[in-house]
Amino acid sequence: MATIHVDETAGSDAIGNGTAQQPYQTLGFAVFSSSGTDTFLTRKDPNGAYEEPTQSSLKKAKKTAEGIEKKKKKQEELAAREAKEQNEAKERREKMLEDSKKIVLTEDPALPEAVKCKINRLADLRTKRVRVSGWVHRLRDQKGIIFLVVRDGTGYLQTVLSGNVAATYEALTLTLESTVEVVGTLQAVPEGKQAPGGHELIVDYWKVLGAAPGAEDAFTNRLNEKSDPSIQADLRHLVLRGETASSVLRLRSHLLSAFRESYARYNLTEVTPPCLVQTQVEGGATLFKFDYYGQPAYLTQSSQLYLETVLPSLGDVFCVQESFRAENSHTRRHLSEFTHLEAELAFLTFDELMDHIENIICTTVDILLGNPDSAALIKQLNPKFEAPARPFMKISYVEAIAWLNEHNIQRPEEDADGNVIKDEQGQVKMGPHKVGDDIAEAAERQMTDIIGKPVFLHGFPAELKSFYMKKVPGTGYTESCDLLMPNVGEIVGVYRCKHIIDHYAHISASMALVNMEAMAWE
């Protein structure tokens, strides 16, 4: 016979053992845990003394203990029943898998010959028998009927497997991202139902071309929509199989084609500059250096200098090339590698240069929206997108400084060395903009978002820009500008340059997040 302790304040039914050092919290649980011959001591205050419980409290505790006992037995019975059901389900599954191995599908030669086709070309083949190959994008088993959404890179196709077609070993063990070939009759979906393309494939024959891993290595165990960004970055090749990521890549392809078509309309010739160079363009601090057969070389920062050399022979030219910047900074404005759209044009004024940028942007957008495929992608990725209205608004640098101050958009104050000034509490001191300040990206974006339309911000002070930028005659400001878009910020940088050898103009457009930079030689 032992003495069981109960402390109603400091005790615990979960981790207590009934000793004075580890008492239970409730008398009912103490009675439930006792051998039946134990005695009980209880207290309400951890600092008080233990006392024997009253008969009424002991009687009530016994009823509580009986309830706990019944609940425990019920849980044990439920667990036993679930274990039995799981074992039976496992046995049925094993038997089903064993029986499924006896089912061998063969393509019926009496059926019409199937037309091999890509998914995006199926609309004209409804009611016909078709053959499609792709990856299992989605998989759902509903009472012996298997619904597969197959992806082939051109689109998505819902397929229906039933009967023996859904009873094979391959069907019962199929995993996401497996490669398959499906053959069957293409039918319009019933009224009120939905499927990609408005049709579905009733499969009469199919086979697995390559099985994707299952169990712990299954696609959904490695990656899902809730995965940490670091995991998504490491498994980027799998992320790209998702509908959003693949749509972004597809729209990017349309965008590059649209830019090329726009430049062709304005009679520019495309050239292909090298990526490996021995000169710097944007400054030595951001060069990726490597050894080129014993000589120093770099990954190009810009194809500007190469374009300048071919301009006199080919006239207006452009290129789409990768550029590289050794900027170890994790912001939306710093990329180690990006697609660079650059152009070189001869003989144009600063106003003509801005008009050119506006024409290229608007023509490219019109091409994208005029193409049903790219227009659908834009609607999918950005349903509220609208083509920019022309003409674009123009604001000078000095006007922008005044606008920011009128709207109380401030900037961090700096000392003579350019260091941010903080107050006594360690907070950054903010103050009004003044002429000569380099307007920060955040301020530019805030201004553009409030204005709500494309803005050419032009006429930056010469001391903020490179030496070769041409000045507005009689002023200290340059013939340079940034094109700012609402909800995005800067997408184009434009400037004209001083006389160098000949009268010609350079336009450079770096397209990282559809970002362009433009420059003109006079």
Side-chain angles (χ1 to χ4, degrees), residues 305-373:
L305 301 181
Y306 185 91
L307 292 175
E308 291 172 6
T309 64
V310 297
L311 179 66
S313 60
L314 298 179
D316 298 346
V317 291
F318 79 99
C319 71
V320 179
Q321 181 62 280
E322 301 307 303
S323 286
F324 306 86
R325 306 285 170 85
E327 297 176 322
N328 188 16
S329 180
H330 302 287
T331 74
R332 64 192 299 275
R333 292 175 63 88
H334 295 86
L335 294 172
S336 295
E337 178 182 355
F338 57 93
T339 302
H340 212 154
L341 176 60
E342 299 183 88
E344 201 88 23
L345 282 79
F347 314 116
L348 75 169
T349 66
F350 184 57
D351 286 336
E352 289 171 340
L353 179 57
M354 287 192 287
D355 289 343
H356 173 83
I357 295 299
E358 183 174 319
N359 290 335
I360 291 296
I361 293 294
C362 291
T363 300
T364 300
V365 171
D366 290 343
I367 292 171
L368 290 171
L369 294 179
N371 181 325
D373 293 335

Side-chain angles (χ1 to χ4, degrees), residues 210-439:
E216 293 182 0
D217 292 327
F219 181 88
T220 50
N221 287 338
R222 300 195 66 193
L223 182 73
N224 57 60
E225 60 184 11
K226 296 181 180 179
S227 295
D228 187 87
S230 62
I231 295 176
Q232 294 186 37
D234 289 340
L235 300 178
R236 187 65 179 168
H237 62 293
L238 299 181
V239 172
L240 293 177
R241 301 188 184 197
E243 295 175 25
T244 299
S246 61
S247 294
V248 169
L249 289 183
R250 194 170 286 110
L251 181 56
R252 173 187 167 90
S253 175
H254 284 290
L255 177 63
L256 290 172
S257 296
F259 269 122
R260 284 188 165 99
E261 183 177 339
S262 297
Y263 273 120
R265 291 185 185 183
Y266 288 92
N267 300 312
L268 273 75
T269 301
E270 183 173 6
V271 294
T272 54
C275 283
L276 309 183
V277 297
Q278 289 189 297
T279 57
Q280 66 182 44
V281 181
E282 298 292 338
T286 63
L287 281 169
F288 278 109
K289 186 178 180 180
F290 63 96
D291 180 84
Y292 184 75
Y293 305 113
Q295 299 183 52
Y298 314 97
L299 295 177
T300 184
Q301 298 167 308
S302 166
S303 298
Q304 170 188 338
L305 301 181
Y306 185 91
L307 292 175
E308 291 172 6
T309 64
V310 297
L311 179 66
S313 60
L314 298 179
D316 298 346
V317 291
F318 79 99
C319 71
V320 179
Q321 181 62 280
E322 301 307 303
S323 286
F324 306 86
R325 306 285 170 85
E327 297 176 322
N328 188 16
S329 180
H330 302 287
T331 74
R332 64 192 299 275
R333 292 175 63 88
H334 295 86
L335 294 172
S336 295
E337 178 182 355
F338 57 93
T339 302
H340 212 154
L341 176 60
E342 299 183 88
E344 201 88 23
L345 282 79
F347 314 116
L348 75 169
T349 66
F350 184 57
D351 286 336
E352 289 171 340
L353 179 57
M354 287 192 287
D355 289 343
H356 173 83
I357 295 299
E358 183 174 319
N359 290 335
I360 291 296
I361 293 294
C362 291
T363 300
T364 300
V365 171
D366 290 343
I367 292 171
L368 290 171
L369 294 179
N371 181 325
D373 293 335
S374 55
L377 290 169
I378 291 172
K379 184 174 180 60
Q380 172 194 339
L381 296 170
N382 187 0
K384 296 182 180 180
F385 177 81
E386 295 181 0
R390 305 179 72 172
F392 292 173
M393 185 176 181
K394 296 178 181 178
I395 300 177
S396 72
Y397 166 85
V398 174
E399 291 170 338
I401 293 291
W403 192 98
L404 291 169
N405 290 333
E406 288 172 4
H407 291 77
N408 197 32
I409 298 174
Q410 299 183 319
R411 66 182 299 275
E413 293 188 358
E414 299 177 348
D415 59 23
D417 297 324
N419 300 313
V420 174
I421 300 174
K422 296 183 178 180
D423 60 22
E424 295 177 353
Q425 287 73 39
Q427 301 297 314
V428 175
K429 293 185 67 175
M430 304 295 289
H433 287 80
K434 58 183 180 297
V435 173
D437 290 343
D438 189 2
I439 301 175

Side-chain angles (χ1 to χ4, degrees), residues 205-219:
Y205 172 76
W206 76 288
K207 61 182 178 181
V208 175
L209 302 177
E216 293 182 0
D217 292 327
F219 181 88

